[in-house]
């Protein structure tokens, strides 16, 4: 069974480069490459039924600004030097399933796609640390938005535990962990 991936970056050169990195993988299939800035791209996702959508911050907030990303598929956000606060904001507001930092290798890209396609979350430890300790940077007038239980969940995921393992250890359902 192959993983259908849609590539949607604001930079076609980056899109084509990512496609080249993935083209020889038997498990990952490029369903489509969406052209930058075309409004019909969000409608196109419905017909493509992708398992994973690779996006940058520009595409996420411009092309897919008015869609519920949680209902369109699993999104992996590529960090194109957009800043930690923007990444954290995207994770929290757009329900991003994964973040891939700029220094990632092609094998890490493939591993993140496989993990997110299975329903796992793919976020590096430094981003999780930013979420846990720097969430107030998004709004300095408010207190942290994560409860103690949510902080435990994020911490355990950051340590590499799978959703099911976190659920068992904290005596909660797997859907609550997600």
């Amino acid at each position: 069974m192959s993983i259908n991936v849609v590539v949607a970056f604001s930079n076609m050169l980056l899109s084509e480069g990512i496609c080249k990195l993935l083209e020889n993988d038997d498990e990952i299939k490029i369903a489509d490459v969406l052209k930058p800035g075309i409004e019909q791209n969000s409608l196109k996702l419905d017909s493509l039924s992708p398992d994973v959508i690779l996006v940058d911050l520009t595409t996420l907030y411009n092309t897919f600004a008015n869609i519920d990303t949680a209902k369109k598929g699993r999104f992996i956000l590529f960090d194109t030097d957009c800043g930690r606060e923007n990444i954290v904001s995207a994770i929290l507001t757009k329900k991003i399933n994964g973040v891939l930092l700029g220094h990632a290798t092609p094998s890490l890209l493939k591993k993140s796609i496989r993990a997110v396609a299975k329903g796992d979350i793919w976020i590096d430890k430094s981003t999780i640390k930013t979420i846990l300790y720097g969430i107030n940077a998004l709004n300095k007038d408010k207190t942290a938005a994560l409860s103690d239980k949510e902080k435990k969940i994020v911490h355990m995921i950051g340590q590499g535990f799978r959703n099911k393992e976190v659920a068992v250890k904290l005596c909660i359902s797997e859907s609550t962990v997600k």
Side-chain angles (χ1 to χ4, degrees):
M1 184 173 130
S2 65
I3 300 169
N4 287 325
V5 175
V6 168
V7 178
F9 294 110
S10 59
N11 180 317
M12 281 307 294
L13 185 60
L14 179 59
S15 295
E16 292 299 323
I18 295 297
C19 290
K20 288 288 184 197
L21 289 172
L22 299 174
E23 72 183 0
N24 293 325
D25 192 297
D26 296 334
E27 193 178 352
I28 299 171
K29 176 185 167 247
I30 302 297
D32 202 356
V33 177
L34 303 183
K35 305 292 184 247
I38 298 175
E39 290 182 26
Q40 290 79 15
N41 283 340
S42 60
L43 298 173
K44 200 171 186 182
L45 286 182
D46 292 331
S47 65
L48 294 171
S49 300
D51 298 306
V52 176
I53 301 123
L54 305 176
V55 296
D56 60 0
L57 197 71
T58 302
T59 303
L60 181 67
Y61 281 104
N62 290 336
T63 304
F64 302 125
N66 297 322
I67 67 164
D68 183 356
T69 54
K71 293 180 181 176
K72 293 289 183 179
R74 295 181 176 106
F75 282 75
I76 296 178
L77 175 65
F78 272 62
D79 177 14
T80 53
D81 288 331
C82 54
R84 283 263 184 237
E85 283 94 15
N86 289 329
I87 292 172
V88 171
S89 177
I91 291 168
L92 298 174
T93 62
K94 290 297 216 170
K95 299 189 176 36
I96 297 301
N97 304 92
V99 173
L100 202 62
L101 299 180
H103 65 276
T105 62
S107 62
L108 203 57
L109 166 64
K110 293 173 185 180
K111 191 174 179 182
S112 69
I113 290 170
R114 287 182 182 96
V116 169
K118 286 190 322 188
D120 292 338
I121 300 294
W122 185 272
I123 303 174
D124 67 291
K125 291 179 183 177
S126 63
T127 301
I128 290 177
K129 189 175 183 179
T130 301
I131 292 170
L132 288 175
Y133 301 112
I135 200 163
N136 287 330
L138 295 174
N139 191 342
K140 293 181 184 347
D141 296 332
K142 293 184 178 179
T143 59
L146 296 177
S147 68
D148 289 337
K149 179 80 77 172
E150 290 167 329
K151 288 178 184 178
K152 287 179 187 175
I153 291 169
V154 172
H155 178 73
M156 291 179 75
I157 290 171
Q159 291 181 323
F161 288 98
R162 300 212 180 275
N163 292 345
K164 189 175 262 184
E165 294 170 321
V166 173
V168 169
K169 288 185 182 286
L170 296 179
C171 300
I172 57 177
S173 72
E174 188 175 354
S175 62
T176 298
V177 173
K178 289 180 182 178

